[in-house]
Amino acid sequence: MKALCWQGVNELSVEQVPDPAILNAQDAIVKVTASTTCGSDLHLLGGYIPAMRAGDVIGHEFIGEIVDVGPEVSRHRPGDRVVVCSIIGCGRCWACRHDEWSLCENSNPKPGVTDLMWGGTTAGIFGYSHAMGGFRGSHAEYIRVPFVDYNAFTVPEGVSDLDALFASDAAPTGWMGAELGGVRPGDVVAVWGCGGVGQMAARAALLLGAERVIAIDRYPERLAMAARHVGCEVIDYTSTDVTAELRERTGGRGPDVCVEAVGMEADSTGIQRVYDGIKQQLRLEQDRPIAVREAIHACRKGGSVFVLGVFAGFVDKFPLGALMNKGLTLRGAQQHGQRYIPKLLDLIAKGDLKPSYLATHTMTLDEGPKGYDMFKHKKDGCVRAVFRPWA
Amino acid sequence: MEGAKAMKRLVAGAAALAAAGLGVARWAASHRRVPSAAKDPLESSRWLGITINRPPDEVAPAGHLPEPLARVDAEVRMNRAPGDRGTEIYARPREHRAGADAVLARLRGEDPRTTVRTALRETKSLLETGDVLRSDEEIATTRPTLPGKVLDMALGRAAEGGRL
Ligand SMILES: NC(=O)c1ccc[n+]([C@@H]2O[C@H](COP(=O)([O-])OP(=O)(O)OC[C@H]3O[C@@H](n4cnc5c(N)ncnc54)[C@H](O)[C@@H]3O)[C@@H](O)[C@H]2O)c1
Ligand SMILES: [Zn+2]
Ligand SMILES: [Zn+2]
C-alpha cells in the first residue's frame, strides 16, 4: 500500500510499504478515508522527538472504515465508519479505567523507553516514534488499530467526515485542556496558540461556560479564524506585550485558566526566542517553553495552567517562583481522547461544534510532502492539511 | 538505577547517530547534561514490582502463579494493593549477577532481571487485557540503514528495560 514516510529531519516521501496485518485478536484493519497533519508531527519532522527511523509511517489523526477485525473484537464490524483516537488505550488497566487513557499501561510494546525518559510508561501513539510503541501512522491507505473496541468510535449518521476527523485528536485535546484546566462558568480563559488544538481549546472553554476567552497567536488568518469560528477575543503577540494586554483586559487579575497549545517549538519576538533557540541548537536545552513561561506569568493568583503543547525533555528558566508564590496549579497530558470523543461527536451532531473549518487544504496522499511544507510554514493560510488516500 | 544504566547504554548507541541527526541522538545528547543520582547500592537485588488491576484471587487463583511469570526462575511475592488498585506483584531473579558480569549479560540479552521485567509486564497485560500487544515493527517498513541498525540495538535493549 501507499504511505507517507519520515525519512529524516524535514524529509518526507510517499512510499510503497507492506499492508498492515492483524497481529492481535483485538485488532482491526481500518481503511483510512481522511488523515490530517497535527502540530505534533512538526516536532517529529524537526527531529525533536527521539526514536524515529527512516521509513516510519507518520500521521495519527484520522477516520476510516473498518475492513477486517480480529476474532476477539466485539463492538465493531467491517463496514463501520469510525473515528479512531490518536492515543491507544487498552481500556482495562487502572489508568484507562480511571479515564486517563494516555497513561495506559498495556498499549506500548516498547515501554522501557518512556519509562527511562520520564520515570513512567505512557500509552502507544499511532505514527509517533518507536518510543511510543513503533505503531505505523495513518497517512496511509490502511492502518492497524489495536484494542479497537476501545479506540474506535462509530461516527453518527449526519456527521461529516471532516467534522468527525478532528474528534480523533485536536478536539479532544482542546477539550481536555479546558476541562482539566478547571474552566468554570464565568471564568476568563486565555489560550496560547491558534492552531487546530488551541482553537478547539478556546471553543471548549466557551462551551464549558467561560465568560470570556482570549486566544493568542501571530498569524492574522489564524487569529481571524478563531474570532470568527470560535467566537473569542484575540491578541497578536507580535504587536503587543501579551501579559500587559491580558492584565488590562481582566481588571488587573489575569486569566483564571491559561491553556498552552504551542509546544516545544514556541516562537517569540523577544530575547527569549534567541536564548532558547541557541540553547536548543547547542543541545543545552531540549524544548523551548516560551508560551508556558508567559502563561505562568500572566495567570491570576490561584489560577491554573494546562500544558497541551508537546514537550519531550528538559527546559530552562522555568518560573517556579511565580508558580509557587502565586499558588498556581500546573497540569499537562497527552490527550485522554476516549474520555471525550462520544461527547464531542454528540456536540458535533447537535451543531455546537464544527471543527471541519480547520481543514483549510484537502489533498491526496501523494501530495503529503507538499501538505507538510504548507502546514509547517503556514503557507497559503494553511491550518490543517487533510489527506484523502482514496479520493 | 537499572534505568540510568540502560539510559547510558542508549546514549552510547545513540551518540553514534548524532551525525545522522536522528531525534534520539539529540534527545540523548542533551539528557547527558542532567546530573545523575547516586548509584543504587541494591541495584542487582531489588524486587521488581508491578501493579495489576485485578484482585489477588484472580491474579493467583488457589495460589497458582500466573503465566508467564510462573515459567521464570524468580522469587515472587504479592499482596493486595492500597485502595482500589488491585494486586502488587514483586519478583526478582534467584540468580544474582553484579558488576561487569551483569553488564555483559545484559549486552548479550541474557540479563535475568530483564527476563523477570518482561515476564511481569506480560503477566499484567494478559491478566488485564487477555493479550500482549505486538508492535507494527514486526512488519517492517524501515530501510535497513547502518544508523538504523545502531538505533535498533540501542532501542532493542532500552525497550525491555525501564525503571520497573
Ligand atoms: N496533548 C496532546 O495530546 C496533544 C495533541 C495534539 C497536539 N498537541 C500539541 O499541541 C501543540 C499545538 O498543535 P497544533 O496542531 O495546534 O499546532 P500548530 O503548529 O498548527 O499551532 C501552533 C500555533 O502556536 C503559535 N505560537 C508559536 N509560538 C507562540 C507563542 N509564543 N505564543 C502564542 N502562540 C504561539 C503558532 O503561531 C501556531 O499558530 C503542539 O505542540 C502539538 O504537539 C498535543
Ligand atoms: Zn496530534
Ligand atoms: Zn490501559
Side-chain angles (χ1 to χ4, degrees), chain B residues 69-75 92-95 116:
Chain B
L69 194 59
R71 273 181 273 136
V72 175
D73 184 26
E75 293 174 75
R92 64 180 175 193
R94 278 184 215 286
E95 178 195 4
V116 170

Side-chain angles (χ1 to χ4, degrees), chain A residues 88-97 100-101 103-107 123 147, chain B residues 128-129:
Chain A
I88 305 166
C90 78
R92 289 149 289 183
C93 68
W94 193 88
C96 287
R97 289 270 194 236
E100 296 187 319
W101 295 76
L103 311 182
C104 177
E105 299 178 338
N106 297 312
S107 66
F147 299 129
Chain B
E128 290 181 347
T129 75

Side-chain angles (χ1 to χ4, degrees), chain B residues 17-151:
Chain B
L17 301 179
L22 288 176
V24 69
R26 290 188 175 192
W27 194 91
S30 28
H31 187 82
R32 209 171 0 190
R33 295 187 172 84
V34 175
S36 58
K39 187 175 154 48
D40 180 2
L42 299 177
E43 184 185 353
S44 60
S45 60
R46 274 200 197 279
W47 290 94
L48 296 162
I50 206 164
T51 305
I52 300 180
N53 193 21
R54 293 267 159 204
D57 57 347
E58 285 181 33
V59 170
H64 292 299
L65 276 186
E67 293 288 336
L69 194 59
R71 273 181 273 136
V72 175
D73 184 26
E75 293 174 75
V76 178
R77 64 181 172 87
M78 63 178 83
N79 52 263
R80 192 186 67 78
D84 64 348
R85 290 173 185 78
T87 306
E88 292 173 354
I89 185 157
Y90 297 90
R92 64 180 175 193
R94 278 184 215 286
E95 178 195 4
H96 283 197
R97 295 194 188 181
D101 202 22
V103 174
L104 282 175
R106 230 172 291 152
L107 288 174
R108 285 196 302 266
E110 295 164 4
D111 177 20
R113 289 181 73 79
T114 303
T115 311
V116 170
R117 194 181 285 115
T118 304
L120 281 170
R121 284 187 176 132
E122 291 185 0
T123 300
K124 170 184 167 72
S125 189
L126 277 170
L127 281 163
E128 290 181 347
T129 75
D131 210 349
V132 176
L133 198 55
R134 292 163 63 187
S135 168
D136 282 337
E137 285 170 20
E138 295 177 26
I139 303 178
T141 62
T142 311
R143 270 184 289 120
T145 56
L146 181 62
K149 279 187 185 145
V150 180
L151 180 61

Side-chain angles (χ1 to χ4, degrees), chain A residues 2 4 14 363-370 387-389:
Chain A
K2 206 185 279 179
L4 183 64
V14 178
M363 48 187 86
T364 63
L365 194 52
D366 288 315
E367 294 172 292
K370 178 182 132 202
F387 308 123
R388 306 213 68 155

Side-chain angles (χ1 to χ4, degrees), chain A residues 125-142:
Chain A
I125 306 182
F126 293 107
Y128 215 67
S129 92
H130 297 266
M132 308 300 179
F135 293 101
R136 284 211 241 159
S138 59
H139 297 334
E141 291 174 323
Y142 296 96

Side-chain angles (χ1 to χ4, degrees), chain A residues 20-86:
Chain A
I22 291 192
L23 298 178
N24 288 88
Q26 300 171 49
D27 288 351
I29 302 297
V30 169
K31 177 178 170 181
V32 179
T33 50
S35 182
T36 179
T37 59
C38 166
S40 300
D41 301 325
L42 298 180
H43 311 323
L44 289 181
L45 269 180
Y48 297 101
I49 301 287
M52 288 296 290
R53 291 187 195 143
D56 284 345
V57 181
I58 65 165
H60 56 261
E61 186 162 11
F62 66 104
I63 56 162
E65 183 194 323
I66 293 190
V67 291
D68 196 6
V69 293
E72 284 169 29
V73 171
S74 58
R75 298 183 196 166
H76 286 292
R77 63 170 79 138
D80 285 3
R81 183 169 70 120
V82 292
V83 53
V84 178
C85 185
S86 58

